[in-house]
């Protein structure tokens, strides 16, 4: 009998050792022993993401161990690197399970700079003009400079080469025009800020080092004490990242309000992605940012389009009358007296959307604005996007068909002057609104509620396969004379 027990124990120990070695190999730490002052390592999914998305030139060295970072959604497993913050969100499908902080915007806000009022740029030949923020990215020399560097790096989303959406997911949208600024080293250099990065141009350096990235992670972390190492193990690397089809899937059907006569929007024929805050993330966004650290992307401010950008295909159906929200919501039935306290009745979606709208409208008026009008066209756009991102569990202001908010509003015929969008994944309207308002006064989500330039609002609500609620709020104002 003792021999049998010993044999059984040996077999158990053998398989435990085999599993431990396999797990250790999959989570083997990537350290930098030859680099003075760098004592932290990357491991598992964090290491895989770091390597596949640009490595040392893009992210820099790790400056903290894995730690439990507080976010609006609770604690998340995170690691700070010299130029950004990596966060693990196991509830999001790869490759969006690792989200990046929107440290560019975070630092601008911390320095009292509101990118929404920064001087804008004009479209230029051989440059990229981001219509969402009205800023332009160009090279400083032929095929060398900010634009080339931007397009040479991106998150691995499965596209051939480095696509625009992959670059956008890594860097985010431009938030400023290039300008001479003093960096942390005291050098005066040409600088341009993005949602997740700060580009610096150093003309006196060799060509491969003329575009350098600001050490945003170090600047954000500052003199904080070293964090407590998380008790959680790093998530293991994943296999082949799911590749995204070159042909985007059709968007989910639009869930129209009872008074809407608008047909479901047709998929956009172009794929012009944008970033989080917003927000993940958000990239998520996000996103995002969260912000990113939160998985929601930051809202995207949309400037008025030039007349030439108006759709030239089949014109949209006539817009239905704009009506207050109460007229589009079916009143909740009076509860039966026979219901016991144990009989939990979930409010229907129209009631939940009305609750969120009323919370937002009250805060809008509290900021000194006229009451929001709940617009049917914005409602259609918000509901369609909520259904889309919930079905794919993907926090993003770009739909799976590649359409940005600007394109989604244009194709349903909303004549916007300004527009923006907020996303949240929370159980109740109260928590979602609290998340949006839990920002500085010039925070992008908060501005979507308190900015009096926005006069109309539309609310979307959809559920993923876990039953989680995905909220989308589109706010906008119409062009004069519309």
């Amino acid at each position: 009998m003792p021999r049998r027990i010993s044999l059984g124990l040996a077999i158990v120990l053998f398989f435990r050792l085999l599993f431990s070695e396999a797990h250790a190999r999959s989570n083997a730490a990537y350290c930098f022993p030859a680099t003075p002052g760098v004592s932290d390592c990357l491991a598992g999914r964090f290491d895989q993401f770091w390597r596949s998305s640009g490595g040392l030139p893009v992210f820099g060295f790790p400056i903290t161990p894995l730690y439990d970072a507080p976010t609006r959604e609770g604690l998340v497993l995170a690691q700070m690197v010299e130029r950004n913050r990596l966060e693990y969100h196991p509830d999001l499908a790869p490759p969006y399970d690792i989200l990046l902080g929107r440290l560019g915007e975070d630092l601008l806000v911390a320095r009292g700079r509101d990118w929404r009022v920064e001087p804008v740029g004009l479209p230029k030949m051989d440059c990229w003009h981001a219509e969402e923020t009205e800023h332009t990215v160009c090279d400083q020399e032929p095929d060398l400079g900010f634009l080339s560097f931007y397009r040479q790096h991106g998150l691995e989303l499965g596209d051939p080469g480095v696509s625009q959406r992959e670059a956008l997911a890594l860097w985010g949208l431009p938030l400023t025009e290039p300008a001479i600024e003093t960096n942390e080293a005291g050098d005066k250099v040409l600088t341009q800020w993005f949602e997740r990065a700060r580009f610096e141009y150093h003309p006196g350096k060799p060509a491969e080092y003329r575009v350098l990235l600001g050490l945003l992670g170090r600047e954000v972390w500052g003199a904080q004490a070293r964090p407590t190492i998380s008790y959680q193990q790093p998530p293991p690397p994943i296999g082949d990242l799911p590749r995204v089809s070159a042909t985007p899937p059709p968007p989910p059907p639009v869930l129209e309000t009872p008074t809407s006569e608008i047909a479901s929007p047709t998929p956009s024929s172009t794929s012009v992605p944008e970033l989080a805050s917003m927000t993940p993330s958000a990239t998520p966004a996000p996103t995002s940012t969260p912000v990113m650290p939160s998985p929601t992307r930051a809202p995207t401010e949309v400037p008025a389009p030039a007349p030439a950008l108006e759709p030239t295909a089949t014109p949209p159906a006539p817009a239905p009358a704009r009506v207050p929200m109460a007229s589009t919501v079916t009143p909740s039935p009076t509860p039966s007296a026979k219901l016991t306290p144990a009989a939990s009745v979930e409010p229907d979606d129209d009631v939940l959307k009305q609750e969120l709208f009323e919370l937002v409208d009250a805060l809008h008026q509290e900021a000194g604005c006229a009451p929001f009008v709940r617009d049917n066209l914005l409602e259609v756009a918000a509901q369609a996007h909520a259904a889309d991102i919930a079905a794919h569990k993907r926090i993003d202001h770009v739909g799976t068909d590649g359409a940005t908010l600007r394109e989604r509003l244009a194709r349903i015929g909303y004549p916007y002057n300004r527009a923006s969008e907020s996303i949240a994944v929370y159980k109740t309207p109260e928590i979602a609104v609290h998340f949006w308002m839990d920002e500085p006064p010039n925070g992008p989500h908060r501005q979507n509620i308190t900015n009096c330039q926005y006069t109309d609002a539309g609310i979307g609500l959809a559920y993923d396969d876990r039953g989680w609620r995905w909220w989308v709020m589109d706010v906008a104002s119409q062009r004069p004379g519309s």
Side-chain angles (χ1 to χ4, degrees):
M1 180 67 69
R3 182 174 297 175
R4 291 181 180 177
I5 293 176
S6 299
L7 179 60
L9 181 60
I11 293 173
V12 170
L13 291 175
F14 170 77
F15 279 105
R16 288 187 62 182
L17 179 61
L18 185 65
F19 174 79
S20 298
E21 289 181 349
H23 183 74
R25 284 195 299 272
S26 68
N27 267 12
Y30 181 45
C31 303
F32 307 86
T35 305
V38 179
S39 59
D40 295 298
C41 303
L42 296 154
R45 181 73 178 103
F46 285 83
D47 175 34
Q48 181 186 37
F49 180 91
W50 184 88
R51 292 179 191 240
S52 67
S53 300
L56 194 61
V58 169
F59 297 114
F61 294 107
I63 60 175
T64 71
L66 288 177
Y67 68 102
D68 296 312
T71 71
R72 297 183 181 93
E73 290 73 40
L75 294 178
V76 300
L77 189 63
Q79 186 164 20
M80 187 73 77
V81 292
E82 288 183 301
R83 296 186 174 96
N84 215 303
R85 179 176 52 231
L86 314 181
E87 295 184 357
Y88 178 57
H89 293 267
D91 54 312
L92 298 178
Y96 305 103
D97 54 334
I98 299 290
L99 298 177
L100 293 173
R102 299 178 70 251
L103 301 192
E105 181 174 5
D106 289 350
L107 274 175
L108 283 176
V109 171
R111 296 177 181 186
R113 293 177 61 178
D114 182 357
W115 65 265
R116 294 172 184 264
V117 298
E118 290 276 333
V120 299
L122 297 173
K124 299 177 183 178
M125 184 176 296
D126 299 324
C127 296
W128 168 46
H129 182 69
E131 294 181 355
E132 295 85 352
T133 59
E134 295 187 273
H135 291 298
T136 304
V137 184
C138 302
D139 276 337
Q140 283 62 53
E141 303 176 44
D143 300 321
L144 180 62
F146 292 163
L147 180 60
S148 291
F149 189 88
Y150 186 100
R151 289 176 169 172
Q152 287 166 2
H153 304 277
L155 298 189
E156 179 53 63
L157 302 180
D159 296 348
V162 178
S163 67
Q164 172 71 3
R165 74 174 188 133
E166 289 177 323
L168 198 57
L170 177 61
W171 308 118
L173 292 165
L175 299 181
T176 69
E177 291 297 292
I180 299 296
E181 298 184 15
T182 303
N183 64 13
E184 293 299 305
D187 300 324
K188 293 184 180 296
V189 293
L190 187 68
T191 303
Q192 186 163 21
W193 291 78
F194 298 81
E195 288 179 293
R196 297 189 177 92
R198 183 180 66 232
F199 287 13
E200 299 176 1
Y201 188 68
H202 297 258
K205 294 185 178 293
E208 62 269 28
Y209 300 115
R210 288 182 192 168
V211 177
L212 298 179
L213 299 174
L215 302 179
L216 303 189
R218 286 197 178 278
E219 294 173 31
V220 167
W221 191 259
Q224 295 182 62
R226 188 172 175 81
T228 302
I229 298 177
S230 175
Y231 72 91
Q232 301 182 65
Q233 292 297 313
I238 59 177
D240 292 336
L241 293 176
R243 300 191 65 81
V244 181
S245 170
T247 303
V254 175
L255 305 180
E256 299 177 347
T257 56
T259 58
S260 174
E261 298 176 358
I262 300 174
S264 302
T266 56
S268 170
S269 61
T270 61
S271 178
V272 186
E274 71 189 43
L275 185 143
S277 176
M278 150 143 156
T279 109
S281 238
T283 146
T287 200
S288 31
T289 257
V291 182
M292 288 228 333
S294 115
T296 129
R297 296 181 182 257
T300 301
E301 179 87 15
V302 182
L309 294 177
E310 292 297 320
T312 57
T314 305
R322 300 166 67 207
V323 295
M325 190 61 203
S327 67
T328 64
V329 175
T330 304
S332 179
T334 303
S336 168
K338 296 181 180 179
L339 288 178
T340 65
S344 175
V345 179
E346 286 286 331
D348 64 35
D349 290 355
D350 282 341
V351 172
L352 289 170
K353 290 161 68 175
Q354 174 69 8
E355 289 177 4
L356 187 137
F357 174 79
E358 290 175 352
L359 290 169
V360 166
D361 186 43
L363 292 167
H364 191 63
Q365 295 184 53
E366 189 177 297
C369 309
F372 264 133
V373 172
R374 191 159 172 194
D375 184 86
N376 283 338
L377 288 176
L378 290 182
E379 192 83 2
V380 170
Q383 185 60 52
H385 193 56
D388 185 9
I389 61 177
H392 295 86
K393 292 197 284 288
R394 180 172 176 265
I395 300 171
D396 203 328
H397 293 292
V398 177
T400 55
D401 63 349
T404 63
L405 175 61
R406 175 184 69 84
E407 293 167 321
R408 294 196 299 274
L409 295 185
R411 71 187 180 190
I412 64 172
Y414 181 88
Y416 68 88
N417 180 39
R418 304 184 72 87
S420 191
E421 183 171 81
S422 295
I423 296 173
V425 186
Y426 287 107
K427 180 176 178 59
T428 67
E430 291 80 8
I431 299 177
V433 173
H434 175 76
F435 163 71
W436 290 333
M437 290 293 292
D438 187 22
E439 292 182 342
N442 61 349
H445 298 93
R446 189 184 186 105
Q447 281 286 302
N448 284 351
I449 296 173
T450 60
N451 188 340
C452 296
Q453 293 184 69
Y454 299 125
T455 58
D456 300 347
I459 310 298
L461 172 59
Y463 299 80
D464 61 25
D465 55 12
R466 303 160 298 185
W468 292 15
R469 289 178 176 140
W470 291 65
W471 303 89
V472 172
M473 178 180 71
D474 288 344
V475 293
S477 59
Q478 298 193 17
R479 290 195 297 272
S482 299

